[in-house]
Amino acid sequence: MKTSLPIVIMLATLLLPSSIYAAEHQVKMLNSGADGYMVFEPAVLSVQMGDTVTFVATDMAHNSASIAGMIPEGASPWYGEISTDIAVTFDQAGVYVYQCTPHAMMAMVGVINVGEGKGNLAAIKTAAEKKSTGFVANKERLDNYLAQLD
């Protein structure tokens, strides 16, 4: 029995590890953009598990850092250096909220939804309410970003 080459290639493709299909995404760290001053673009991003997001220091004096209590339980946090690109690979489904540490008081935040699950979205909204006074005073931007996931 002969097997045609296209069928063999198709079967081999299906058996490859899913990481081979992982995508690369970029988020710019900017002084100004579509959503105002001190922003990430895109500010809301949906990716698949295994995808990598590179935070690009387009404008200097920014970083990307996950916010404690605002990433899925058990997920790895990250903390990028100021004015330095950082690549983060997401291997756990859920919603991740991150910030620029020096500009957190100016609501320089972003949201990444990984996979189909948003199981921690309610917990993130609750955590946003409990953040420090400065963060809560500027949380309208975060609320708008989270609403895009509803």
Side-chain angles (χ1 to χ4, degrees), residues 65-122:
S66 58
I67 302 174
M70 299 183 106
I71 64 174
E73 188 173 322
S76 298
W78 72 91
Y79 189 91
E81 297 295 320
I82 303 295
S83 301
T84 304
D85 295 358
I86 181 174
V88 179
T89 300
F90 294 90
D91 56 6
Q92 188 167 332
V95 177
Y96 295 71
V97 178
Y98 60 92
Q99 66 184 0
C100 171
T101 308
H103 301 110
M105 294 293 283
M106 298 178 76
M108 188 170 176
V109 295
V111 177
I112 298 175
N113 184 52
V114 178
E116 300 302 317
K118 298 176 195 146
N120 64 323
L121 183 57

Side-chain angles (χ1 to χ4, degrees), residues 35-87:
D35 289 339
Y37 295 104
M38 305 304 166
V39 294
F40 292 98
E41 281 190 1
V44 179
L45 184 64
S46 290
V47 304
Q48 296 302 312
M49 288 196 327
D51 286 2
T52 298
V53 175
T54 300
F55 297 92
V56 181
T58 307
D59 294 330
M60 297 296 104
H62 300 293
N63 77 329
S64 172
S66 58
I67 302 174
M70 299 183 106
I71 64 174
E73 188 173 322
S76 298
W78 72 91
Y79 189 91
E81 297 295 320
I82 303 295
S83 301
T84 304
D85 295 358
I86 181 174

